Amino acid sequence: MAVLAECAYCHKKQSVRNKLCTCGADLVKLKRSKKVKYWIGYRIPGDKQRREPIGYSIEEARDAEGKRRSQKRENRIFDMLAEAKMTFKELAEWYLGLKAVKKLASYDRVELALKNFNTVFGDKLVGTIFMTSGEQSKPTC
Ligand SMILES: [Zn+2]
C-alpha cells in the first residue's frame, strides 16, 4: 500500500518522495501550491492493483491509506470494493448489460434466474450478504 502523488502536468502517479517528475515538473513546488493530487494504491487478494483518488491533502491521503490498511488486515475486503455498495438489483442490471453476457444463448434463463433471486434479495446491498455469511464475519453494530 502506498500514497501516490499525481503530477499536475503529465498526470503520472509516483512516489510522494519524488522531488522532480520525469516530465521535469517541480513536485515540491506543486505540492506547496496544493496542485498535486494524492492517490492511494493497494492490492486486494485475487484482484489487480487498485488506485483510488483522494484529493489534494496528503494528510487525508494518509488517513485513507490507514483505513484501507486496517480493512485489509481485518479481512474486510468487501468494504473496500465499490461493488459491495450496490444492491443486487443494480448488480444484476450491470451484469445483464455486459456485451459478453448479452451474447449468451442462455441469456433469457440467466435473466429469469436473477429476476427470481432479486424478488427476495434485490434491495439488499451486495456487501451485507457477504458480511452475514462466511466465517470471518463478526456482528457489526
Ligand atoms: Zn510530470
Side-chain angles (χ1 to χ4, degrees), residues 99-111:
K99 244 184 224 159
V101 176
K102 279 185 173 167
K103 275 192 286 193
L104 293 175
S106 56
Y107 185 87
D108 290 348
R109 273 182 292 135
V110 172
E111 191 182 24

Side-chain angles (χ1 to χ4, degrees), residues 7-12 14 21-25 27:
C7 171
Y9 295 105
C10 70
H11 301 289
K12 185 180 176 208
Q14 52 202 294
C21 181
T22 46
C23 76
L27 292 170

Side-chain angles (χ1 to χ4, degrees), residues 1-132:
M1 276 199 208
V3 176
L4 302 164
E6 179 185 333
C7 171
Y9 295 105
C10 70
H11 301 289
K12 185 180 176 208
K13 293 158 196 82
Q14 52 202 294
S15 164
V16 286
R17 285 185 295 271
N18 289 3
K19 292 188 169 72
L20 207 62
C21 181
T22 46
C23 76
D26 183 341
L27 292 170
V28 177
K29 209 187 266 175
L30 287 172
K31 276 178 204 160
R32 214 173 287 144
S33 51
K34 298 251 176 253
K35 289 200 176 96
V36 167
K37 189 175 184 181
Y38 293 99
W39 292 68
I40 55 172
Y42 53 90
R43 192 178 288 277
I44 294 175
D47 191 41
K48 57 186 189 313
Q49 181 81 24
R50 285 186 178 236
R51 279 179 180 171
E52 210 179 310
I54 304 300
Y56 294 88
S57 141
I58 188 148
E59 287 79 19
E60 254 173 61
R62 291 208 171 106
D63 288 350
E65 193 214 12
K67 192 175 142 200
R68 290 294 184 229
R69 198 188 288 272
S70 75
Q71 284 173 339
K72 194 173 175 180
R73 190 172 44 231
E74 293 164 20
N75 251 320
R76 282 158 43 214
I77 302 299
F78 289 108
D79 291 359
M80 301 168 77
L81 301 174
E83 296 91 312
K85 291 167 191 90
M86 271 184 179
T87 63
F88 278 103
K89 214 177 269 171
E90 287 166 335
L91 188 67
E93 273 165 26
W94 165 81
Y95 180 75
L96 292 170
L98 292 177
K99 244 184 224 159
V101 176
K102 279 185 173 167
K103 275 192 286 193
L104 293 175
S106 56
Y107 185 87
D108 290 348
R109 273 182 292 135
V110 172
E111 191 182 24
L112 186 67
L114 288 174
K115 209 175 140 194
N116 287 338
F117 180 84
N118 281 334
T119 53
V120 181
F121 296 106
D123 295 325
K124 274 204 183 293
L125 293 178
V126 173
T128 58
I129 292 279
F130 287 113
M131 278 183 273
T132 50

